[in-house]
Amino acid sequence: MPELAYVNGSIMPIEDAVVPIEDRGYQFGDAVYEVIASYKGKLFCFNEHFARLDRSMKELHFQEVQVDEIRKAAVDLFSMAKIERAAVYIQVSRGVSPRNHSFPSNVPVQVVLTVRKIVEKKPSVRETGIFAITVEDFRWGRCDIKTVQLLPNVLAKQSALDAGCYDAIFVTKEGIVREGTSSNLFILKGGVLKTHPITPNILSGITRLLVLDICREKQYPAEECFFDKSELYEADEVFLTGTITEVLPVVKIDGRTVGNGKVGPVARVLQEGLLGKLKSK
Ligand code: PDD
């Protein structure tokens, strides 16, 4: 089946899909999004992603949206595409209206969906671990809202690639470690896991919560707390978490080896645990 797109009710192959140039997502980044992964033909954490989409729209004062219609459109498009291992992308903009900073009145939101194959790299970076750099977190103060304004993330990711690494980790001027460019981050030191608490400065990742659940199930001590760059450098294990990322070990940061430079045992257990949840949900 072709990879499909949906634009406000019309379905077509992705390469044929277009949005009007006066879409506020295109002109102002005035849009929110979600990425849902499927595993063996089932959409994973569908309700959690839609709850976050709804929250993002409310935080940005989008007009009342029929979320149920978007949910139905996503399910229908996914079942039409018949792709077992797919990424369903959902983007909702404040609508199409002549360019003007103020909110347009009585303009419906514009909904765009795509369904495409997730292509796994071989050997999987999850087995080898990745190299990362740290970059200053120069994003805005509402990273909890999943908006399409991702330019700092794009620039940080490219800096990592230019440095021969896979990803970048946002760290504040003061040294607080936030998250990856499209993932949350955990460290392990002395048997205790740490991840940034939920504040407006990071995205409340769905995978992050699942990993915290697995930690509870395995009785691994895990704290949601601030930690700084020196703790990041001195950690025994570091890994990123996200919908497509899953649990991705980081084995080198800014040229310094993490732990013994190999994927650690705790990351492996959490990878397996997440896979178990993917298979069962
Ligand atoms: N990114 N932090 C940021 C900045 C993210 O963009 C993401 C997800 C996450 C992890 O959230 P979750 O576990 O709910 O996927 C954390 C998506 C996948 C993306 O931009 O493609």
Side-chain angles (χ1 to χ4, degrees), residues 29-237:
D30 193 358
V32 296
Y33 78 105
E34 283 295 327
V35 180
I36 307 180
S38 73
Y39 195 83
K40 299 229 158 106
K42 272 165 74 185
L43 291 167
F44 187 58
C45 289
F46 187 78
N47 289 337
E48 290 83 346
H49 283 282
F50 268 91
R52 189 169 63 190
L53 183 75
D54 197 29
R55 175 185 185 273
S56 293
M57 292 192 290
K58 288 201 167 87
E59 290 295 319
L60 295 183
H61 311 288
F62 275 25
Q63 69 164 62
E64 214 46 56
V65 174
Q66 299 304 322
V67 177
D68 284 348
E69 280 176 25
I70 309 177
R71 285 171 66 105
K72 186 176 178 311
V75 169
D76 289 351
L77 195 72
F78 173 64
S79 54
M80 255 180 174
K82 294 194 172 58
I83 299 172
E84 278 210 338
R85 182 80 171 125
V88 178
Y89 178 77
I90 302 154
Q91 178 171 324
V92 186
S93 83
R94 199 184 301 275
V96 179
S97 178
R99 187 177 184 279
N100 188 329
H101 286 63
S102 55
F103 293 177
S105 31
N106 300 320
V107 167
V109 297
Q110 165 138 289
V111 180
V112 168
L113 309 170
T114 61
V115 180
R116 49 190 355 156
K117 251 194 208 111
I118 297 177
V119 183
E120 301 284 356
K121 288 199 184 77
K122 294 270 184 243
S124 164
V125 284
R126 282 181 220 113
E127 286 152 34
T128 57
I130 58 133
F131 296 173
I133 57 167
T134 58
V135 293
E136 189 184 322
D137 191 359
F138 50 94
R139 298 174 299 165
W140 75 326
R142 291 304 308 272
C143 297
D144 59 315
I145 306 172
K146 202 161 170 56
T147 79
V148 300
Q149 300 192 111
L150 292 172
L151 195 50
N153 309 54
V154 166
L155 295 175
K157 174 78 179 186
Q158 191 58 44
S159 299
L161 296 176
D162 292 346
C165 293
Y166 182 93
D167 208 352
I169 298 166
F170 287 117
V171 178
T172 68
K173 257 200 190 86
E174 298 73 31
I176 298 171
V177 178
R178 300 281 198 216
E179 61 182 340
T181 60
S182 59
S183 55
N184 294 116
L185 182 133
F186 285 71
I187 63 168
L188 173 83
K189 182 70 184 174
V192 179
L193 286 140
K194 288 185 183 175
T195 191
H196 192 287
I198 295 307
T199 71
N201 301 111
I202 65 159
L203 184 76
S204 176
I206 290 161
T207 322
R208 173 189 174 282
L209 275 184
L210 291 172
V211 167
L212 286 169
D213 283 348
I214 301 166
C215 289
R216 264 187 294 276
E217 287 159 23
K218 304 274 176 206
Q219 299 189 335
Y220 290 165
E223 292 171 12
E224 297 176 66
C225 62
F226 297 107
F227 53 91
D228 66 16
K229 196 157 141 177
S230 61
E231 288 182 79
L232 177 72
Y233 286 155
E234 283 153 26
D236 301 324
E237 293 188 34

